[in-house]
C-alpha cells in the first residue's frame, strides 16, 4: 500500500488555497484516470485523493494558469508506463482546469539512494515519444535526509555523529530550554512574534527569502482547528536561554489513520509493518546571539522524540545539497542534517507536461526569475 504524502492531504490543499492557489480535488485509483470531486467532497475525502493546485496570473495583455501536482501519483510501474500515466492524467485534467492552463507540473514521489540513479531516471524520459519536459525549477527539495524512527531514542543517538550527541548534551548543559507552542495556546502570539523575529534575522544574515508573516501563522492556526479532521499536527518549537530567544523551527507530523487499522501499513499476509505518514522539519530560523550554545541540535532532537510519540515512521529534514562538496554554498546545511544519522534520498524533481504552445514563453520567464533570485540578488547583496 502506498503512502500518501502530506502535500496530498486536504489540509495542505486548503492551506495553499488561502495563499494564492486554488485546490482541485480528484479521485485517483490505480491505473485509472482521475475523477473530479467538488471542493466540499475533496476537503473531506481521505482515500485515493489526488490534489491539484492551480495558480493563476494576470498580465496586462494575457491571463494564464499553471497546475501543480505535488508528490503524486505513486510510482508503481516501470518508467515508460509511469510517464505515460502522467501524460494521460494531464490530458484528462484539461477538462476541469482553466482553459488558459499552460502545463501540468508533477513531482514524482520516487526515492533514489544515489544521485546517479536519480539522474538515470531523469534522462530516461527523453527516449519516450511524449511531450514531457524536465522542469527548469524544482518545487519540492529534490535531495533530503530521511531518518527512520523505528528505533529507540538510545539507538537513534548512537547512530548520530558523536559531535551531534555532544552538541545536544552541551545545549542542555548550558541551560538552553526548548518550548513547544500551538495556536490554541494563550501565549501563542507572543511566541510566534519571537519566532518571526528570528526568521527576519536569518533572512538578513543568510540572504534567504521567506513568505510573509501571516503565511506561517496561518499554518499553525489551521493545524489547531484541524485536529478532528486529519491526524496532522503543526508545532512551533523555540529554543531560549534566560531572556534570549536563540532559534526556532516549525514541524509537521502526519499519520494516515485511514490507510489501514491503526494507521499502519499491512503486508499481503496481513502483518502490520509500519505507520503510514511522515514528520517534516518545514521551517527553521536562528538568531545572532549565543550560537555557540548549539540550540539547533536540541531543537531537532526534541522534535524527533515528539515525532516518535506521534507514531510517525520517518523524520524528513526536507532539503540538502545533492552532494557533500565543500564549495557548495549550503555545505554547512548538508553537514548539519546528515549528522543525525538518516538516509540520504534523491528525488527526480519536477516534470512538466505542456498543454499550450505558450508554455515555451513561461519556461524562459521562469528560468530568468530563478537566475535573478538565486544568483543576481545574492550577488548584489554581496553574498
Amino acid at each position: 500500500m502506498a503512502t500518501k504524502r502530506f502535500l496530498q492531504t486536504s489540509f495542505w490543499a486548503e492551506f495553499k488555497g488561502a495563499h494564492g492557489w486554488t485546490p482541485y480535488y480528484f479521485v485517483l485509483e490505480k491505473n485509472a484516470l482521475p475523477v473530479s470531486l467538488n471542493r466540499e467532497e475533496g476537503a473531506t475525502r481521505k482515500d485515493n485523493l489526488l490534489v491539484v493546485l492551480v495558480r493563476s496570473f494576470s498580465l496586462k495583455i494575457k491571463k494564464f494558469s499553471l497546475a501543480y501536482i505535488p508528490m503524486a501519483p505513486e510510482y508503481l510501474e516501470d518508467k515508460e508506463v509511469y510517464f505515460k500515466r502522467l501524460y494521460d492524467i494531464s490530458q484528462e485534467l484539461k477538462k476541469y482546469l482553466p482553459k488558459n492552463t499552460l502545463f501540468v507540473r508533477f513531482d514524482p514521489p520516487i526515492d533514489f539512494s544515489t544521485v546517479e540513479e536519480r539522474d538515470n531516471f531523469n534522462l530516461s524520459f527523453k527516449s519516450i515519444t511524449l511531450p514531457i519536459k524536465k522542469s527548469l525549477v524544482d518545487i519540492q527539495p529534490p535531495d533530503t535526509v530521511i531518518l527512520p524512527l523505528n528505533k529507540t531514542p538510545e539507538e537513534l543517538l548512537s547512530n548520530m555523529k558523536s559531535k551531534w550527541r555532544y552538541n545536544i548534551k552541551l545545549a542542555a548543559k548550558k541551560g538552553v530550554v526548548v518550548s513547544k507552542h500551538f495556536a490554541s495556546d494563550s501565549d501563542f502570539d507572543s511566541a510566534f512574534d519571537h519566532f518571526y523575529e528570528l526568521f527576519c534575522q536569518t533572512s538578513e544574515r543568510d540572504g534567504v527569502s521567506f513568505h510573509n508573516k501571516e503565511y506561517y501563522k496561518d499554518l499553525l492556526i489551521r493545524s489547531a482547528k484541524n485536529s478532528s479532521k486529519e491526524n496532522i499536527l503543526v508545532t512551533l518549537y523555540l529554543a531560549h536561554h534566560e531572556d534570549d530567544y536563540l532559534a526556532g523551527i516549525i514541524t509537521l507530523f502526519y499519520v494516515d489513520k485511514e490507510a489501514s487499522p491503526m494507521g499502519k501499513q499491512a503486508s499481503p499476509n496481513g502483518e502490520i509493518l509500519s505507520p503510514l505518514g511522515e514528520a517534516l522539519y518545514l521551517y527553521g530560523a536562528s538568531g545572532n546571539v549565543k550560537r555557540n550554545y548549539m540550540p539547533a541540535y536540541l531543537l531537532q532532537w526534541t522534535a524527533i522524540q515528539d515525532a516518535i510519540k506521534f507514531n510517525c515512521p520517518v523524520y524528513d529534514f526536507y532539503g540538502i545539497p545533492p552532494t557533500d562538496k565543500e564549495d557548495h554554498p549550503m555545505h554547512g546545511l548538508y553537514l548539519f542534517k546528515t549528522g543525525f544519522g538518516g538516509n540520504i534520498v534523491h528525488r527526480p524533481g519536477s516534470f512538466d507536461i505542456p498543454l499550450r504552445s505558450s508554455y515555451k514563453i513561461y519556461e524562459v520567464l521562469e528560468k530568468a526569475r530563478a537566475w535573478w533570485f538565486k544568483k543576481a540578488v545574492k550577488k548584489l547583496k554581496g553574498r
Side-chain angles (χ1 to χ4, degrees):
M1 183 179 294
T3 302
K4 183 173 69 175
R5 312 297 178 105
F6 85 100
L7 291 165
Q8 279 293 316
T9 63
S10 60
F11 169 82
W12 191 258
E14 291 300 310
F15 167 64
K16 297 300 288 186
H19 298 277
W21 296 81
T22 301
Y24 286 69
Y25 296 102
F26 299 85
V27 175
L28 185 64
E29 304 282 356
K30 181 181 178 181
N31 298 325
L33 293 175
V35 177
S36 179
L37 301 171
N38 63 45
R39 190 160 178 174
E40 182 177 347
E41 292 173 325
T44 56
R45 189 181 180 99
K46 297 177 182 178
D47 60 307
N48 300 319
L49 181 66
L50 178 70
V51 171
V52 181
L53 299 173
V54 174
R55 191 73 180 261
S56 298
F57 302 88
S58 180
L59 304 177
K60 290 184 178 180
I61 58 173
K62 186 76 173 178
K63 291 183 179 181
F64 65 92
S65 301
L66 58 89
Y68 174 49
I69 302 178
M71 293 293 123
E74 290 292 335
Y75 182 67
L76 302 174
E77 310 93 351
D78 61 41
K79 288 177 282 191
E80 185 170 351
V81 173
Y82 186 72
F83 282 119
K84 177 64 163 58
R85 180 152 170 72
L86 299 188
Y87 177 79
D88 290 343
I89 289 173
S90 67
Q91 299 309 299
E92 182 68 16
L93 292 178
K94 286 174 66 175
K95 303 176 185 177
Y96 309 100
L97 300 177
K99 292 183 179 180
N100 58 2
T101 302
L102 302 184
F103 61 93
V104 179
R105 177 165 292 178
F106 293 86
D107 270 324
I110 312 171
D111 294 349
F112 296 103
S113 58
T114 69
V115 173
E116 291 73 23
E117 288 177 313
R118 185 260 306 282
D119 291 348
N120 287 336
F121 177 89
N122 284 358
L123 288 173
S124 65
F125 81 95
K126 293 185 177 181
S127 63
I128 300 172
T129 57
L130 291 171
I132 299 176
K133 301 266 295 182
K134 179 67 184 72
S135 306
L136 296 171
V137 176
D138 294 319
I139 305 301
Q140 303 303 320
D143 308 280
T144 188
V145 179
I146 296 181
L147 179 67
L149 300 180
N150 58 344
K151 298 177 176 65
T152 66
E154 292 73 23
E155 289 172 328
L156 289 171
L157 284 168
S158 67
N159 289 338
M160 294 181 192
K161 292 182 179 179
S162 59
K163 185 66 173 178
W164 272 238
R165 293 193 298 273
Y166 174 82
N167 286 341
I168 291 170
K169 294 177 181 178
L170 175 66
K173 185 177 179 180
K174 289 282 189 180
V176 175
V177 176
V178 173
S179 55
K180 291 178 282 189
H181 304 273
F182 306 96
S184 56
D185 297 341
S186 59
D187 64 344
F188 172 71
D189 287 339
S190 174
F192 188 83
D193 286 344
H194 287 301
F195 173 75
Y196 200 76
E197 173 58 30
L198 292 169
F199 235 12
C200 293
Q201 292 179 38
T202 303
S203 178
E204 178 63 27
R205 183 182 65 245
D206 300 338
V208 181
S209 299
F210 296 117
H211 294 283
N212 61 48
K213 184 177 182 179
E214 294 307 311
Y215 180 88
Y216 305 100
K217 194 171 186 178
D218 184 43
L219 179 61
L220 286 146
I221 291 171
R222 285 174 180 271
S223 171
K225 295 178 179 179
N226 182 71
S227 58
S228 63
K229 288 181 60 181
E230 289 179 300
N231 201 28
I232 290 177
L233 178 69
V234 182
T235 308
L236 167 63
Y237 294 87
L238 287 173
H240 44 94
H241 180 266
E242 297 176 345
D243 295 330
D244 296 315
Y245 285 84
L246 310 183
I249 63 174
I250 293 177
T251 63
L252 184 148
F253 300 164
Y254 166 54
V255 175
D256 185 0
K257 288 186 174 181
E258 299 299 317
S260 60
M262 301 300 292
K264 296 188 176 183
Q265 183 175 13
S267 67
N269 62 10
E271 177 189 2
I272 297 299
L273 298 178
S274 62
L276 289 174
E278 54 191 342
L280 299 104
Y281 162 38
L282 286 181
Y283 310 111
S286 60
N288 299 321
V289 300
K290 300 179 182 178
R291 294 170 66 84
N292 60 326
Y293 282 29
M294 305 300 168
Y297 296 84
L298 188 58
L299 278 169
Q300 292 295 338
W301 178 233
T302 303
I304 288 168
Q305 293 178 91
D306 287 348
I308 295 173
K309 296 173 185 175
F310 201 76
N311 208 31
C312 295
V314 296
Y315 186 90
D316 189 341
F317 284 89
Y318 219 50
I320 59 169
T323 67
D324 62 352
K325 291 183 178 179
E326 294 185 4
D327 59 351
H328 194 285
M330 303 298 286
H331 180 64
L333 184 71
Y334 182 97
L335 294 177
F336 174 71
K337 292 186 176 182
T338 56
F340 287 92
N343 303 317
I344 298 175
V345 166
H346 307 280
R347 293 170 178 152
S350 302
F351 287 83
D352 294 346
I353 298 182
L355 301 181
R356 299 175 69 88
S357 59
S358 47
Y359 166 80
K360 295 180 180 179
I361 299 175
Y362 179 86
E363 195 175 27
V364 172
L365 294 174
E366 187 174 50
K367 184 177 182 180
R369 183 181 185 277
W371 173 84
W372 174 255
F373 283 104
K374 290 184 177 181
K375 294 185 178 181
V377 171
K378 288 187 177 182
K379 189 173 183 179
L380 288 170
K381 293 183 177 180
R383 297 185 174 93

